[in-house]
Structures are given as C-alpha cells and as structure tokens.
Amino acid sequence: MLSFNKQQLPANPLRDPNDKRLPRIAGPSGMVIFGVTGDLARKKLLPAIYDLANRGLLPAGFTLVGYGRRDWSKEDFEKYVHAAVVKSARTDFDENVWARLAEGMQFISGSFADEAAFDKLAALLEETDKTRGTGGNWAYYLSIPPDYFEDVCRQLDRTGMARAPKGSWRRVIIEKPFGHDQESAAELNRVVNAVFPENSVFRIDHYLGKETVQNIMALRFVNQLFEPFWNANYIDHVQITMAEDIGVGGRAGYYDTIGAARDVIQNHLIQLLALVAMEEPLAFDPAQLQTEKVKILSATRAVEPFDLTTARGQYSAGWQGSEFVQGLRDEEGFDPASSTETYAACTLEISSRRWAGVPFYLRTGKRLGRRVTEIALIFKSPPHQPFDLGQTASLGQNAVVIRVQPDEGVLMRFGSKVPGSAMEVRDVNMDFSYAESFTEESPEAYERLILDALLDNSSLFPSNTEVELSWEILDPVLQYWAENGRPEDYPAGTWGPRSADLMLERSGRAWRRP
C-alpha cells in the first residue's frame, strides 16, 4: 500500500494565490460612473465592464450605477449600455452574461450640484449592499472634466459615500487631464485627497494598461540579455513616439484648450520614459514601482535652449494616404487664430550615472504618416570599424524598438552580411510579435485597469507625486512656447514640421520613420 506524507502533496490550486491558471477575480463590489453618457464611458468603460463580466472576472453581485443628467429609468439605462456593449465589446455577446450584468444596473438622474440626487444615490448604495452583497465596496469613476471633481468629491463626502464601513473600501478613479500645469495639478490632488486618501485614488493612464508597456519591465528585468547595455555606455539616444494619422475631428473645441504636449507628452510619454529609464525595483509591487519612477522623474529635466531642443506645429491641408484632408484651422470648432499645437517634440535629459549624456527625444502629433506608438533605443556606433565605407554604406545604428501599438512586439535591428562573394553589411531585423507568439488575446487596457482598481492593485496608476513631477518637467517648455510665436505648419500625412528634424540633425541624428 502506498502512503503519502501530507507535506509532499501538491498545493491545492484553489488555495494557491500564485497558481497562474487561476484568474484574478474581483471580490464583492460595485461601481458608480459619473459622466456615464459621455464618449469615454460609451466607447471604452461600459464595453470593458461587460468584457470583464464575460471573462468571469466580476463577482456575481457586481452592480453598475450610472449617474447623469438624463431622465432615464433603469430600462432606459440598460438599453443604452446594451447598445454600447454590442457595438464596442471585445468579447462575443452572451445573453446569459448580459442578463446577470443588467440585473444589477441602476441609474440616478441629477447634476453634480444636486444634493437630493446624491442623497438618493447614497440610499441606493446602502440598499444594494444589503440586497446584492456588494459588501460596502464601491469604486467611483469620475469620467467627467476635472472642473467638476471638487463638486462630486464634496457630495460624496457630505453623504458619507466616501467613507467605507469597517472592513470595506471606497475608491475613486479619475481620468486625465490631471491639471494643465504643476500648480493646477497640485490643487487637483489637494481637492481629491481632502476626501480620499492617496492609497484610494487611481489615476487612469490607459497607455499603462497596454500589454507591451508592461512588457518593458519584463524585457529589462527578467532577461540578462538586455540589462548590460541598457545605459549610457552603449545607448546613443532614445526616441519615444506617439503618432496619430487622424485629425482633431469632433474634439476641436476641447483640443484647442489642451494641445499635443499636455494631451500626450505630460502623461503617456513621460510615463513611458520612466519605465524605460528607472532602476530595477526591489519587488514588482505598487510601492516599489512608484518609488523608482519618482526617482527617475525627479532627475529628469527639459534641455535648453528651447528654440533648438523643442518643436511644435499645426497640421495644414494635405494627403493622408489617398485622401486629401483639410488643415487644422479649417476644422469645425477650431479657432483659426489659435496657437495650440497638434505636434510637439522636446528633448529631455536624466541626471544619473546610467543615463548621463543620453538625450531622450519625445514626440507626438496628429495627421502624421501613420498611427504608431514606439520606444526606440538607438545604439552608439562601434568605436572601431574594420570594414570600409563601401562595405557598410547600407548599415545604420543598432536599435531595440518596443512597439506599443499597433502590431505589439519588440524589434531588434543589427547588421548582417549580405549573401554573396563580396563583403557587404546591411541592416536586418529580428522581430518578435505578440500576435504570432501567443495564442492568448491581450485584454483591452481599460479592462485591466478597471479590474486592478477593484483589486486594489495600483502598479499601473501614476501617483500624485509622479503627476506633479511630470508637469514640473514640461512646464518650462510650455511657458516658452506661450511666450514665443506660433507653431510651424506641416502638411497632413508627413512626419511633422521641419524644426523637429532640425532638433536631431544639429547633433547628427535623425528621427525614425516607423
């Protein structure tokens, strides 16, 4: 007869938190979305919540409460969510999943100054805790302009909805823009933190939820292959690009108050810089990750003089592929006299031993050559080259390129001999693609971030210190631009204004053409 020692038995996978076969499922909870009738909720948040439910990652009693000005019944709200889900959900529609999710949907009609409506909301949440088992755990998603944050936070505080019963939690999720400069960001943080402690605040930067962004940390810290050359000894410069092939479209009025630098560089691109440049954290947990990002952002500044190290532009009429498109000043709702940029580029430097002397070039723009987001680490040329110029005429600098979107993956560019009797060296690519290497489909960024907020995992959410440091980096550039003329025109479908090319040409460098 065989006998077993209990200590030799495998751990029960149902009890092992490290078993990767088990998905992370949110505990008893509900969510209130303020601004639920807006574009973000319709196109991203509501489909993401359905997709989480369809993947079995939300609790059975999960309750979704919408808050808005429209005079809707529960049935009206269900129809609205159903239409959004059918149109934009990533996963297939399942009637059984929908029925369970719709059962817990509620809608409260009111403005952000309507105390009676907030009193009604508070009563609804209290009743829902009893009837649906949400356990007093509520996340408040502020899908609204920052000007209304104070009104909503004040009402949540007044009604007691911001304060969790013992053993429960209350969290707030806020969308960018996190202010329009360092001073306003600090004030916004003060307003939110006056009601919610910092560990209950989740600032959404949807780029940090993308699979490839998280793979930056795996690429750097899991592989011995990359770490030895990830420094100023080998890297000549770093280019971080977010290019769009669309114009401002129906967002012209909003965009005119923001501009490309505030819309993208201050949050998305500076966060990517932090992940690329930071030191290895002691552990993969929120506190350690945020500590290392704060260190690197504290050491980062914009390089002067800004007339030589920055560039900005506005797209003019031109060919976007096979379509001739109008220029920015002809877009409906945009002030023709506006100096708001649709293209922004700047040079940053990091005062650390690892990165001393390595420029980080950040750029973003609309109506550029194609839609792409990537991080390119460009290597220095070898100190000695045994081949003559004729043999290496087609050879460029080595590069590691992390593609964030589309075609997520990692590309390595290096030199190789061309087949034949002559010695000729030419660039070749070694290309890793997520789509080709994994059968699993990557979740949409908002799915991951909403689930992380429900699970209290803040790894992918910037802290208030990170936000204020990002503005501290960018503010001098914005101030210089505000005081010095208009943006330069660039034709739609090109890669930006001539001044952006000159930024790099002055040091013998050039932008990548993705």
Side-chain angles (χ1 to χ4, degrees):
M1 177 181 291
L2 294 174
S3 63
F4 294 93
N5 184 325
K6 286 186 178 181
Q7 292 182 340
Q8 294 175 335
L9 291 173
N12 184 346
L14 296 178
R15 298 179 180 177
D16 184 1
N18 295 317
D19 193 312
K20 302 307 178 190
R21 295 171 293 180
L22 300 178
R24 303 175 305 157
I25 301 174
S29 56
M31 178 175 287
V32 181
I33 299 181
F34 295 94
V36 74
T37 59
D39 282 352
L40 176 65
R42 186 178 72 256
K43 295 177 181 179
K44 295 293 185 180
L45 306 186
L46 298 176
I49 289 171
Y50 169 81
D51 288 331
L52 288 172
N54 203 12
R55 294 165 57 205
L57 300 179
L58 295 181
F62 182 82
T63 298
L64 174 64
V65 181
Y67 187 101
R69 293 178 178 274
R70 301 188 187 183
D71 187 19
W72 280 351
S73 65
K74 170 180 167 62
E75 290 72 25
D76 294 330
F77 183 50
E78 287 180 25
K79 291 178 183 177
Y80 169 76
V81 179
H82 184 275
V85 166
V86 169
K87 182 176 182 180
S88 303
R90 181 178 62 87
T91 58
D92 295 334
F93 189 81
D94 185 304
E95 287 289 352
N96 293 325
V97 172
W98 169 254
R100 290 195 301 271
L101 188 61
E103 183 182 353
M105 290 183 188
Q106 299 287 346
F107 186 82
I108 297 293
S109 177
S111 70
F112 302 137
D114 189 342
E115 293 193 352
F118 274 88
D119 291 340
K120 186 177 180 181
L121 176 62
L124 174 63
L125 300 194
E126 185 176 354
E127 179 65 20
T128 301
D129 288 337
K130 299 173 183 176
T131 58
R132 292 188 56 80
T134 44
N137 301 319
W138 289 95
Y140 305 109
Y141 202 121
L142 306 191
S143 181
I144 57 178
D147 290 348
Y148 296 109
F149 284 6
E150 184 168 12
D151 290 339
V152 173
C153 287
R154 180 177 55 81
Q155 294 282 14
L156 293 175
D157 187 37
R158 180 188 66 81
T159 56
M161 287 187 284
R163 296 184 292 278
K166 187 175 181 180
S168 304
W169 52 258
R170 301 291 164 95
R171 296 170 192 147
V172 63
I173 306 171
I174 60 179
E175 279 279 346
K176 74 175 185 72
F178 309 125
H180 57 84
D181 56 17
Q182 187 181 21
E183 182 179 355
S184 60
E187 174 61 18
L188 194 61
N189 287 334
R190 184 198 64 77
V191 165
V192 175
N193 291 149
V195 178
F196 293 92
E198 180 60 17
N199 62 6
S200 296
V201 181
F202 291 75
R203 296 170 182 82
I204 288 274
D205 184 338
H206 70 275
Y207 258 68
L208 299 185
K210 293 183 179 295
E211 198 75 48
T212 322
V213 172
Q214 297 169 67
N215 196 41
I216 294 171
M217 290 177 282
L219 185 78
R220 290 191 57 192
F221 303 130
V222 170
N223 301 294
Q224 183 68 9
L225 172 65
F226 297 104
E227 182 61 21
F229 65 69
W230 210 273
N231 55 64
N233 293 329
Y234 299 95
I235 303 298
D236 178 74
H237 69 279
V238 179
Q239 299 182 20
I240 304 179
T241 299
M242 178 183 164
E244 297 180 277
D245 55 7
I246 60 172
V248 297
R251 298 174 69 228
Y254 164 78
Y255 197 87
D256 194 15
T257 66
I258 301 295
R262 287 184 171 92
D263 191 39
V264 176
I265 291 181
Q266 181 274 331
N267 40 74
H268 301 329
L269 299 195
I270 289 182
Q271 279 288 321
L272 293 181
L273 176 147
L275 292 172
V276 168
M278 72 181 189
E279 296 300 320
E280 181 178 354
L282 294 177
F284 188 71
D285 68 62
Q288 297 297 333
L289 289 172
Q290 290 171 355
T291 294
E292 295 305 328
K293 286 198 289 180
V294 165
K295 286 181 183 177
I296 210 69
L297 294 177
S298 299
T300 303
R301 70 174 186 90
V303 178
E304 298 185 70
F306 296 140
D307 59 330
L308 303 179
T309 61
T310 70
R312 59 176 178 150
Q314 290 182 343
Y315 64 82
S316 57
W319 289 94
Q320 193 81 53
S322 60
E323 179 187 5
F324 189 80
V325 297
Q326 63 185 359
L328 174 71
R329 290 189 287 275
D330 296 321
E331 296 272 16
E332 184 178 354
F334 202 90
D335 180 2
S338 171
S339 60
T340 299
E341 78 282 352
T342 59
Y343 179 99
C346 60
T347 309
L348 305 183
E349 65 178 5
I350 300 172
S351 300
S352 72
R353 180 171 296 186
R354 179 187 290 269
W355 295 111
V358 178
F360 282 71
Y361 299 112
L362 278 55
R363 63 171 169 169
T364 184
K366 292 186 177 294
R367 289 288 185 211
L368 298 183
R370 61 169 298 205
R371 173 178 171 264
V372 63
T373 300
E374 68 171 33
I375 302 160
L377 292 93
I378 311 299
F379 284 74
K380 295 179 178 179
S381 298
H384 172 69
Q385 184 64 270
F387 306 103
D388 62 40
L389 292 177
Q391 295 169 324
T392 58
S394 300
L395 181 65
Q397 291 171 282
N398 296 160
V400 171
V401 181
I402 302 168
R403 295 192 306 270
V404 177
Q405 69 170 15
D407 307 321
E408 293 88 344
V410 180
L411 177 145
M412 297 180 66
R413 185 181 71 194
F414 55 93
S416 179
K417 180 184 178 299
V418 178
S421 57
M423 173 55 74
E424 180 186 358
V425 182
R426 186 181 301 170
D427 284 332
V428 296
N429 292 330
M430 182 180 294
D431 201 349
F432 153 68
S433 168
Y434 264 88
E436 294 178 3
S437 299
F438 298 107
T439 57
E440 298 91 340
E441 184 180 0
S442 296
E444 206 273 343
Y446 276 99
E447 292 176 53
R448 182 185 305 276
L449 294 171
I450 289 173
L451 181 59
D452 279 351
L454 296 176
L455 290 167
D456 197 22
N457 179 6
S458 59
S459 300
L460 301 177
F461 297 83
S463 65
N464 58 0
T465 304
E466 291 174 60
V467 170
E468 292 181 31
L469 285 172
S470 298
W471 281 117
E472 184 177 329
I473 294 166
L474 190 61
D475 274 354
V477 175
L478 295 173
Q479 183 177 351
Y480 173 80
W481 286 349
E483 297 171 353
N484 290 272
R486 291 181 51 82
E488 179 184 350
D489 283 357
Y490 63 94
T494 64
W495 282 97
R498 174 62 181 153
S499 55
D501 292 328
L502 290 174
M503 270 179 58
L504 274 68
E505 288 178 8
R506 292 186 182 96
S507 60
R509 302 181 174 103
W511 291 108
R512 275 177 46 82
R513 294 293 185 259

